[in-house]
Amino acid sequence: MASDTAAANNLPAFIWDEALIRRYDLSGPRYTSYPTAVEFTPNYSIEDMVKAAGRSKASGGPISLYTHLPFCAHLCYYCACNKVITKKRDKAMPYVERVLKEAAIQSKLFGADRPVQQLHWGGGTPTFLPRDVMQHLMAGYGELFNLQSGDERDYSVEIDPREVDEDTLSTLWELGFNRISLGVQDVNPEVQKAVNRIQPREMTEAVLNEARRIGFRSINLDLIYGLPHQTPESFAETLESVIEMSPDRLSVFSYAHLPDRFYPQTRIQADTLPSPQQKLTILHNTINRLLDAGYEYIGMDHFAKPDDSLAVAQREGRLHRNFQGYTTHSDCDLVSLGVSAIGQTDDAYFQNNHDLPSWEASIDAGQLAIIRGVGLTRDDRIRRWVIGQLICQFRLDRKQFADKWNEDFDRYFADEMSRLKPMIQDELIADSGSVLQVQPAGRLLIRAICQIFDLYRKEGASQRFSRII
């Protein structure tokens, strides 16, 4: 929709305005949920989650199934994920056995017959799992859940090309996966050495080509800008290599250097990082180059080819956002398994214990490992919908809002609309009276626009979030 509207008004898809970026580039949430994880509370109990799952089961409909697989054979110094660094592959099967015990509990709670329309293995490094362990996990899921085999399913897995052997991709395909995301970060050898991730371009390309040959679609590559020794020139060369590989989707994430919070980052020397101005230049050049190469800017840090399902969904107003980022599956409650995993229903979020031994102890005792969460008020659900419209479709239709929520938008959000005025004057967003439309200069700053409608950020408490750009 957003790109259609831009085209209809002869607007470019994107405008870079450095003065506006400096004015609005504050800290802010990424809105993979609303309320955000900062609002999760330990007062949210396992009983609360069981009731939320019961309401979800009663309402029916498809589900999304997420599994957190925390093991990595190597430590990447930039990483802020929940992970366990080990070379011992025999740790995988006991973990998977516990995941299946947890899955058996959640399957009963959510309803075993609901079609699993979306399935994702994240990490860590899911391909750390030996072949027989992957097969065991998916066979267990097949017994506990209603796995799908039709073309409309979206079964994805994160892949480290360094952890792929000759039968990894064919095994994943046989298990039902049809989409993959490859971690690349940068193809420059000096950058790779500085972050302890040696991964020659040929290795990535070989995995990509084999995945295409097998039949995987919507192949995504992850890049990170702001890493040590990156310059606008070096990252431009990396980008040319990536464009030659021609992935269907690209994620270009900003590295946030927070060594006090993430111990592995202490291995990165701060004086080797690009300056804030260099990071802005890298981002500006990257967006321009990807648009020139035919990719569409989906939003935040995501790009896709025009015929990819993400770009199509955005044009048709069907794009949504969850903990895995942008998705085409809107109506799926999220069943999440494994250490630190976050689940979601229409009116609740709930998270497992981050600590692996504690998670294991809960599962071994036959209990769920939920340690925090939040129940959504009606106001939370209204604001989640509004933020979702803005961050996914780049527009908000007042009539659609009124039809869905039986509220007058301008009355309900009178305070927010007055605080939005400077952004309207700065042409980040336009108000036609019937539709709020994010403008080309506002697309990059969408998190700042969304924050206006975030009740929990009203007091300006954004210090726990990364910068927007």
Side-chain angles (χ1 to χ4, degrees), residues 119 121 131 133-139 147-148 153 155 168-178:
L119 181 146
W121 286 2
R131 184 171 191 238
V133 181
M134 288 185 188
Q135 291 168 329
H136 182 65
L137 179 56
M138 211 59 156
L147 299 184
Q148 301 296 290
R153 80 188 188 286
Y155 286 17
T168 302
L169 290 172
S170 57
T171 297
L172 290 168
W173 181 260
E174 287 161 13
L175 293 178
F177 289 96
N178 57 3

Side-chain angles (χ1 to χ4, degrees), residues 6-200:
N9 296 335
N10 295 316
L11 288 173
F14 162 84
I15 287 176
W16 181 276
D17 187 318
E18 199 135 328
L20 290 179
I21 288 168
R22 293 194 185 285
R23 189 176 314 158
Y24 290 105
D25 180 22
L26 307 170
S27 299
R30 299 177 58 77
Y31 293 114
T32 51
S33 71
Y34 183 87
T36 66
V38 170
E39 267 44 77
F40 293 7
T41 167
N43 297 330
Y44 189 90
S45 67
I46 289 174
E47 292 73 28
D48 293 327
M49 178 270 180
V50 168
K51 288 176 185 171
R55 292 191 295 274
S56 171
K57 183 178 182 178
S59 65
I63 57 171
S64 179
L65 183 60
Y66 173 75
T67 311
H68 189 75
L69 301 165
F71 303 107
C72 292
H74 312 278
L75 176 65
C76 302
Y77 296 159
Y78 55 79
C79 185
C81 298
N82 186 290
K83 61 199 166 293
V84 176
I85 307 299
T86 180
K87 294 276 201 293
K88 297 175 179 172
R89 307 281 162 170
D90 58 358
K91 289 195 169 196
M93 187 61 94
Y95 181 83
V96 160
E97 291 286 11
R98 289 186 174 98
V99 166
L100 289 173
K101 282 178 79 173
E102 184 182 25
I105 300 170
Q106 295 218 31
S107 167
K108 288 192 184 76
L109 292 176
F110 280 91
D113 57 339
R114 297 167 71 180
V116 178
Q117 204 159 60
Q118 192 176 33
L119 181 146
H120 186 76
W121 286 2
T125 306
T127 46
F128 176 94
L129 270 58
R131 184 171 191 238
D132 62 319
V133 181
M134 288 185 188
Q135 291 168 329
H136 182 65
L137 179 56
M138 211 59 156
Y141 282 171
E143 292 172 11
L144 294 167
F145 296 100
N146 182 10
L147 299 184
Q148 301 296 290
S149 57
D151 286 344
E152 70 287 346
R153 80 188 188 286
D154 188 351
Y155 286 17
S156 61
V157 57
E158 295 168 14
I159 288 182
D160 179 346
R162 300 170 302 165
E163 294 288 329
V164 171
D165 59 29
E166 64 277 356
D167 63 1
T168 302
L169 290 172
S170 57
T171 297
L172 290 168
W173 181 260
E174 287 161 13
L175 293 178
F177 289 96
N178 57 3
R179 196 164 69 71
I180 60 172
S181 180
L182 302 181
V184 176
Q185 323 324 342
D186 198 319
V187 301
N188 183 287
E190 186 183 18
V191 176
Q192 291 184 355
K193 187 178 179 186
V195 298
N196 197 37
R197 189 183 175 106
I198 305 299
Q199 183 179 318

Side-chain angles (χ1 to χ4, degrees), residues 195-214:
V195 298
N196 197 37
R197 189 183 175 106
I198 305 299
Q199 183 179 318
R201 172 186 167 168
E202 297 72 31
M203 180 188 283
T204 302
E205 208 157 19
V207 173
L208 191 72
N209 291 339
E210 174 70 1
R212 284 210 176 99
R213 188 191 65 75
I214 290 171

Side-chain angles (χ1 to χ4, degrees), residues 353-467:
N353 205 311
H354 279 84
D355 178 63
L356 183 59
S358 301
W359 174 83
E360 290 173 343
S362 294
I363 304 305
D364 289 347
Q367 299 169 348
L368 291 170
I370 304 291
I371 57 161
R372 62 187 198 129
V374 64
L376 274 66
T377 64
R378 182 169 183 269
D379 179 70
D380 289 334
R381 293 169 62 223
I382 287 173
R383 290 174 186 274
R384 176 173 64 183
W385 187 87
V386 166
I387 288 169
Q389 292 293 304
L390 292 170
I391 208 164
C392 294
Q393 326 309 344
F394 289 125
R395 71 196 302 274
L396 187 140
D397 186 308
R398 281 176 170 85
K399 184 177 185 306
Q400 197 179 354
F401 174 86
D403 290 346
K404 182 164 183 66
W405 297 106
N406 198 27
E407 299 276 0
D408 178 85
F409 181 84
D410 292 288
R411 193 176 302 132
Y412 196 92
F413 290 112
D415 179 55
E416 286 79 4
M417 287 307 294
S418 71
R419 288 190 290 124
L420 200 65
K421 278 178 184 165
M423 292 185 171
I424 294 172
Q425 288 163 358
D426 286 336
E427 297 186 356
L428 297 188
I429 190 165
D431 186 0
S432 70
S434 60
V435 171
L436 287 176
Q437 178 75 49
V438 178
Q439 297 299 285
R443 292 179 74 141
L444 198 61
L445 294 161
I446 188 63
R447 287 160 71 184
I449 296 171
C450 289
Q451 259 187 102
I452 296 284
F453 296 93
D454 183 341
L455 190 66
Y456 302 94
R457 303 283 82 72
K458 205 168 182 179
E459 307 307 318
S462 296
Q463 69 277 7
R464 294 182 63 180
F465 299 99
S466 62
R467 290 181 78 81

